[in-house]
Amino acid sequence: MTDPFAPGTTVSLTASTTSASKEVSGSTHKHMLRVYNSGTVTAFIKTGDSTVTATANDLPMPGGIVEVISIGSDTYCAAITASGSSKLYLTIGIGI
């Protein structure tokens, strides 16, 4: 049985046509990331360390969508859009 998502800290990240990143680390036991794209523009996301950069070849997050992804030991999330901007809410946690 899979445990429901147990949220930790939430941070926001504004994605635009230039890659931007935000630290999403919490407890070392939190390895899932809930991503909510509150905008209408698709954002492309990638997780990694403090040098991570997103490109249009990374995971697409259409506007209005929520996804929970595994980030392992990654501590940052980067995002970019092809045009316009979109605000993402990133919540570290455990479970699905």
Side-chain angles (χ1 to χ4, degrees):
M1 183 168 156
T2 303
D3 292 328
F5 186 74
T9 304
T10 299
V11 295
S12 64
L13 171 63
T14 299
S16 67
T17 57
T18 302
S19 182
S21 66
K22 191 77 155 202
E23 187 173 15
V24 293
S25 61
S27 165
T28 56
H29 302 291
K30 299 186 186 303
H31 58 275
M32 303 300 282
L33 185 66
R34 179 184 183 268
V35 182
Y36 168 50
N37 183 347
S38 69
T40 59
V41 175
T42 297
F44 300 88
I45 65 168
K46 182 176 183 177
T47 62
D49 62 18
S50 61
T51 64
V52 68
T53 300
T55 71
N57 294 319
D58 292 319
L59 180 66
M61 288 289 305
I65 295 296
V66 175
E67 289 281 351
V68 177
I69 61 172
S70 175
I71 62 168
S73 60
D74 292 346
T75 55
Y76 281 76
C77 181
I80 194 168
T81 63
S83 64
S85 64
S86 210
K87 188 168 190 176
L88 305 178
Y89 291 93
L90 311 169
T91 306
I92 194 81
I94 55 174
I96 211 166

